[in-house]
Amino acid sequence: MKKFLDKGLAIIKDRLKDDDKFEAVVASLLAFGMKFAYRTTRWKVVGIETPDVYHRSNTPFLVSLWHDRLMTAPCVWKWKSPLHVLASGHRDGRLIAKVVEHFNMPAVFGSTGKGVAAAKELIKLVKKGRYIAIIPDGPRGPRHKLAPGVITISKLTKTDILPFSCCVKRFYRFDSWDRFVLAWPFNKGVMVWGDPIRWTDLQNKSEEEARLYVESKINECSETAYRLLID
């Protein structure tokens, strides 16, 4: 199974290089698979009241989760307001962008680390009251290491960060840089929204202290999800 999945992934990636129509088909199939896995899984969702409070008060926030948890995460977005997702302009990022469009998640292309235009666009969206998702260890890692963009945008726009993670009982883990988790259908899973990371708390920390603090909060969500899953 492992060789079959890894070989299939390599073939798809090679085919995606120059074929936009194939990319659209793959994105639709992936979105269907994500929804199928999500809907056939028994989920426990922790902390959903946190984003609910922000929505009821029309207060924007930044969602942050690790790249390897992307498969089922988009399915939890239940609100009518779109969630704008920062996506890389590289091939993998373009595919992810087309996938999340199926979940009311328009993409903003670029990088908050080097892409000034992308950062400016995200700041404009937040100031308009929009919700933003930033995968802070994407698009190429290092795995579970926070790039500074999400903290910078949080401070500049005076917007809180909501950490998020999820775990499933049965999955396949790819041999990719992020060790991406492919969740099987008919599963058991836990999704966790962590306590808000207040932008005011980040202001008083050094860059390194803020980075480690946000990393720890995302990791806490993963640890809580795993603990609840095995209990």
Side-chain angles (χ1 to χ4, degrees):
M1 175 64 76
K2 184 179 186 304
K3 288 183 178 180
F4 174 78
L5 286 171
D6 287 335
K7 185 176 181 180
L9 181 62
I11 291 171
I12 290 172
K13 282 188 172 182
D14 186 64
R15 181 77 188 277
L16 286 172
K17 290 179 181 178
D18 305 304
D19 195 333
D20 291 341
K21 290 183 178 179
F22 181 68
E23 185 177 69
V25 171
V26 170
S28 295
L29 291 174
L30 288 174
F32 174 81
M34 291 161 67
K35 291 176 181 178
F36 184 72
Y38 177 79
R39 290 170 182 169
T40 58
T41 295
R42 291 183 292 112
W43 290 101
K44 179 180 180 66
V45 182
V46 177
I48 193 68
E49 64 277 2
T50 300
D52 274 340
V53 168
Y54 281 79
H55 276 91
R56 285 198 297 270
S57 62
N58 293 316
T59 303
F61 56 78
L62 309 174
V63 184
S64 278
L65 67 153
W66 298 132
H67 200 276
D68 60 337
R69 308 303 169 103
L70 278 174
M71 179 178 172
T72 51
C75 302
V76 79
W77 192 255
K78 64 173 186 172
W79 300 276
K80 291 182 179 180
S81 302
L83 177 66
H84 296 264
V85 179
L86 179 66
S88 164
H90 296 100
R91 181 184 61 198
D92 290 351
R94 294 196 307 271
L95 177 60
I96 290 173
K98 287 189 176 180
V99 171
V100 297
E101 283 177 359
H102 294 266
F103 298 89
N104 192 27
M105 297 182 179
V108 176
F109 288 100
S111 164
T112 55
K114 297 180 180 179
V116 176
K120 286 182 176 179
E121 180 62 23
L122 291 178
I123 290 169
K124 286 180 182 178
L125 287 168
V126 173
K127 288 183 175 180
K128 291 179 180 177
R130 305 294 193 267
Y131 304 97
I132 307 294
I134 297 177
I135 315 303
D137 62 341
R140 296 293 182 183
R143 180 177 183 264
H144 292 185
K145 296 296 181 183
L146 195 90
V150 64
I151 295 172
T152 301
I153 291 174
S154 174
K155 289 180 179 180
L156 287 174
T157 60
K158 300 181 179 180
T159 305
D160 297 339
I161 301 169
L162 299 192
F164 177 85
S165 192
C166 52
C167 286
V168 290
K169 190 169 186 178
R170 297 187 304 106
F171 59 89
Y172 174 81
R173 195 182 288 277
F174 285 100
D175 289 331
S176 53
W177 69 265
D178 61 348
R179 301 182 67 205
F180 189 85
V181 172
L182 173 68
W184 299 123
F186 306 103
N187 212 332
K188 180 182 178 182
V190 179
M191 292 188 171
V192 176
W193 291 91
D195 292 332
I197 300 169
R198 307 292 182 185
W199 67 270
T200 48
D201 294 337
L202 298 175
Q203 276 192 322
N204 300 321
K205 299 180 185 297
S206 69
E207 184 177 317
E208 181 66 5
E209 287 172 338
R211 181 184 68 80
L212 293 173
Y213 180 69
V214 176
E215 280 182 7
S216 71
K217 293 302 179 181
I218 301 175
N219 289 333
E220 281 179 16
C221 291
S222 297
E223 291 160 6
T224 299
Y226 180 73
R227 186 177 67 252
L228 292 172
L229 187 64
I230 63 175
D231 282 350

